[in-house]
């Protein structure tokens, strides 16, 4: 896949700065922007987010938000609802998987064909200790048996990025160095194992055939990155202590999967407020067709939820309101921390949508998106924009790059694809200030 960007965009920035310099980045001239992607599986029906009677673009000031997103009513002046983008070329059906954030054809078991927008932005935004964090929420059984899974984000062709689904493992990774008791002992034990694996893997890889050495090298690099991140986090332990969530029974003895969903969100929020990361991707349903919300009193789970109509459905109202309350928690947490002449939320954008357009078994002809925040004044807020269905989700991603200072004509689209699936070029001017 091709990207048409300004020279130098998309090149890795690495970790050349010292940890104390990274933590001081808000004092630099770079705008301390950050972005959150929240991907709910099973589709995002436009009727669950567009106020009743709104057929054309307009202000949200005098309308009432639909019941599924009603917890966001106090924040509708910071909201932008977009309808009429498409993702036909991604073939979403059950899910577009990597194609949802990549803007290319995706399917179950198909590796990513290019980097996804969340990863690209993580390289462009001011660098942090962990540029990109992905967390995935699912049934408790799936999160336990598969504590990491890769279905949504990628750093390049054939380079998936894993989501963290076990909050105990994620807490150890982020805050193990400042913990005590069992958590500290587990952190140190895992660290020793990872160090040994890295050393053994590096030594053994030299004996492999040349054709396998590159693939094996990626495996070794993964352990190097984990070990390097642990060292970087340990070096700023004093700072992190101020932001680490309190560990309680929900971590080790969750009653429902929503207990783990809640503490995973706590960890995601703390990674933003502490400055550990500037890009957070949340996969509710982890980019697949599963997912469970028994903690909300919902017995149905998984694929069956996708075969239910969302508008007016009490089950989907509960799920969507739960998501909306999560978004409120992010907003309130970032709003509580001063930054520059405002708060952290003033420099943040939350992108809420689905990994398979408007519904389960969709053609991708309509892909609703909800934005919260203005990304340091870049995006219009308090409004609804109805597009004509001729521009793809790639154009939204090009807009995010534009707002981050990197001009982009067609994100992950070569000229042939753009001629067929995009009626325009560059960002969506309708949603920019």
């Amino acid at each position: 896949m091709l990207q048409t960007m300004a020279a130098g965009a998309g090149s890795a920035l690495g970790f050349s700065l010292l940890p104390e310099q990274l933590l001081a980045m808000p004092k630099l001239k770079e705008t301390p922007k950050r972005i959150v992607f929240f991907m709910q599986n099973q589709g995002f029906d436009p009727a669950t987010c567009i106020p009743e009677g709104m057929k054309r673009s307009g202000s949200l000031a005098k309308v009432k938000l639909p019941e599924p997103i009603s917890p966001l009513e106090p924040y509708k002046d910071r909201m932008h609802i977009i309808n009429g983008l498409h993702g036909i070329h991604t073939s979403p059906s059950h899910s577009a998987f990597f194609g949802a954030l990549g803007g290319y054809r995706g399917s179950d078991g198909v590796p990513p064909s290019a980097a996804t927008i969340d990863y690209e932005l993580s390289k462009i935004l001011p660098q942090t200790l962990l540029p990109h964090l992905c967390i995935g929420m699912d049934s408790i059984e799936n999160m336990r048996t598969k504590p990491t899974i890769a279905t949504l984000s990628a750093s390049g062709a054939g380079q998936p990025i894993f989501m963290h689904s076990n909050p105990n493992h994620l807490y150890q990774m982020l805050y193990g160095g400042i913990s005590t008791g069992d958590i500290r002992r587990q952190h140190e034990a895992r660290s020793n194992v990872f160090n040994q694996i890295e050393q053994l893997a590096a030594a053994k890889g030299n004996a492999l055939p040349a054709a396998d050495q590159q693939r094996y090298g990626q495996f070794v690099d993964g352990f190097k990155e984990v070990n390097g991140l642990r060292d970087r986090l340990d070096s700023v332990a004093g700072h992190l202590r101020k932001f680490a969530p309190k560990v309680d029974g929900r971590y080790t003895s969750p009653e429902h999967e929503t207990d783990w969903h809640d503490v995973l969100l706590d960890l995601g929020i703390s990674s933003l407020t502490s400055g550990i990361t500037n890009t957070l991707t949340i996969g509710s349903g982890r980019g697949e067709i599963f997912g469970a919300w028994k903690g909300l009193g919902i017995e149905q789970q998984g694929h069956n939820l996708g075969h239910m109509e969302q508008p007016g459905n009490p089950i989907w109202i509960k799920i969507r309101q739960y998501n909306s309350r999560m978004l409120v928690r992010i907003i309130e947490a970032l709003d509580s921390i001063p930054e520059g002449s405002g708060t952290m939320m003033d420099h943040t954008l939350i992108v809420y949508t689905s990994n398979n357009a408007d519904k389960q078994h969709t053609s991708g002809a309509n892909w609703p998106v909800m934005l919260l925040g203005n990304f340091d004044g870049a995006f219009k807020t308090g409004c609804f924009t109805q597009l004509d269905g001729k521009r793809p989700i790639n154009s939204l991603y090009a807009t995010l790059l534009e707002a981050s200072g990197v001009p982009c004509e067609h994100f992950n689209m070569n000229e042939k694809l753009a001629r067929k699936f995009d009626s325009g070029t560059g960002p969506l001017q309708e949603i920019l200030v």
Side-chain angles (χ1 to χ4, degrees):
M1 288 294 182
L2 299 178
Q3 309 183 101
T4 305
M5 292 185 180
S11 60
L13 297 180
F15 294 99
S16 58
L17 294 178
L18 296 173
E20 59 268 23
Q21 293 173 308
L22 287 164
L23 290 170
M25 292 206 83
K27 299 177 183 178
L28 302 180
K29 292 183 179 180
E30 276 186 290
T31 303
K33 293 180 180 178
R34 59 196 62 80
I35 191 161
V36 178
F37 291 89
F38 194 121
M39 310 295 286
Q40 171 63 58
N41 69 347
Q42 314 286 15
F44 187 19
D45 194 297
T48 64
C49 64
I50 300 174
E52 187 176 357
M54 283 198 90
K55 305 296 182 184
R56 296 190 297 268
S57 301
S59 171
L60 296 174
K62 296 182 179 180
V63 299
K64 185 178 181 180
L65 295 181
E67 187 179 4
I69 61 169
S70 57
L72 291 165
E73 182 74 25
Y75 300 96
K76 66 183 181 183
D77 61 330
R78 305 169 86 165
M79 176 186 295
H80 195 143
I81 301 168
I82 305 166
N83 195 46
L85 290 168
H86 80 81
I88 297 172
H89 58 300
T90 70
S91 186
S93 188
H94 281 117
S95 173
F97 294 91
F98 297 107
L101 290 172
Y104 46 71
R105 189 176 182 85
S107 187
D108 190 6
V110 175
S113 56
T116 51
I117 184 60
D118 48 353
Y119 176 78
E120 292 290 2
L121 288 168
S122 75
K123 295 188 299 178
I124 295 166
L125 298 175
Q127 288 297 279
T128 52
L129 296 175
L130 176 63
H132 187 195
L133 175 63
C134 302
I135 57 178
M137 302 168 180
D138 204 340
S139 69
I140 195 71
E141 297 83 6
N142 285 345
M143 289 189 290
R144 278 176 169 153
T145 56
K146 295 181 180 179
T148 57
I149 190 171
T151 60
L152 283 175
S153 303
S155 59
Q159 299 290 321
I161 298 173
F162 283 88
M163 287 183 283
H164 298 269
S165 293
N166 186 317
N168 297 288
H169 297 172
L170 182 55
Y171 191 96
Q172 286 176 29
M173 184 183 85
L174 297 177
Y175 300 113
I178 63 173
S179 301
T180 59
D182 287 343
I183 294 178
R184 179 62 182 240
R185 286 190 288 273
Q186 291 168 11
H187 170 71
E188 291 175 347
R190 285 166 62 89
S191 298
N192 290 334
V193 169
F194 283 170
N195 282 330
Q196 292 173 26
I197 291 176
E198 179 190 335
Q199 293 168 8
L200 288 170
K204 296 290 184 182
N206 296 329
L208 290 173
D212 294 328
Q213 283 188 8
Q214 181 179 2
R215 182 181 299 176
Y216 201 76
Q218 294 170 357
F219 174 75
V220 175
D221 288 344
F223 280 99
K224 285 182 179 177
E225 178 59 26
V226 169
N227 293 333
L229 173 63
R230 186 195 66 238
D231 292 339
R232 293 193 297 274
L233 292 173
D234 286 351
S235 70
V236 290
H239 171 82
L240 296 182
R241 245 181 222 101
K242 305 171 187 175
F243 299 92
K246 181 181 179 181
V247 176
D248 55 32
R250 293 174 299 170
Y251 282 79
T252 55
S253 304
E255 182 178 359
H256 300 290
E257 66 291 310
T258 43
D259 289 335
W260 269 17
H261 296 184
D262 291 338
V263 294
L264 281 169
L265 184 69
D266 288 342
L267 289 166
I269 290 173
S270 72
S271 73
L272 294 170
T273 55
S274 66
I276 289 176
T277 192
N278 57 27
T279 306
L280 173 64
T281 301
I282 302 169
S284 181
R286 302 202 295 183
E288 298 189 316
I289 61 173
F290 306 111
W293 292 266
K294 291 180 181 177
L296 305 181
I298 298 171
E299 292 302 319
Q300 296 90 341
Q301 59 181 305
H303 186 224
N304 291 336
L305 290 171
H307 287 273
M308 300 177 182
E309 292 291 327
Q310 292 185 19
N313 186 322
I315 290 175
W316 271 103
I317 289 173
K318 286 181 180 179
I319 294 172
R320 201 73 68 187
Q321 287 186 343
Y322 178 60
N323 290 347
S324 296
R325 291 193 297 272
M326 285 188 162
L327 298 178
V328 169
R329 284 172 59 193
I330 297 172
I331 293 170
E332 290 179 343
L334 296 178
D335 247 347
S336 70
I337 299 178
E339 185 174 68
S341 58
T343 70
M344 290 184 79
M345 188 61 205
D346 292 323
H347 306 117
T348 300
L349 183 71
I350 301 172
V351 181
Y352 180 92
T353 186
S354 177
N355 46 278
N356 56 311
D358 57 334
K359 60 183 179 180
Q360 189 65 275
H361 299 292
T362 180
S363 67
N366 186 25
W367 204 306
V369 178
M370 189 165 66
L371 305 181
L372 288 158
N374 61 31
F375 213 42
D376 201 26
F379 290 90
K380 297 175 183 175
T381 56
C383 56
F384 164 64
T385 295
Q386 177 64 54
L387 301 171
D388 61 8
K390 296 180 180 179
R391 299 216 64 190
I393 55 173
N394 305 61
S395 62
L396 172 65
Y397 302 155
T399 310
L400 299 179
L401 289 167
E402 179 85 15
S404 302
V406 179
C408 176
E409 293 182 4
H410 295 288
F411 178 74
N412 279 350
M413 272 190 162
N414 57 29
E415 291 184 9
K416 182 179 179 181
L417 277 173
R419 282 197 302 269
K420 185 175 182 180
F421 294 109
D422 194 351
S423 65
T425 300
L428 296 164
Q429 296 297 341
E430 298 94 328
I431 69 174
L432 290 174
V433 173

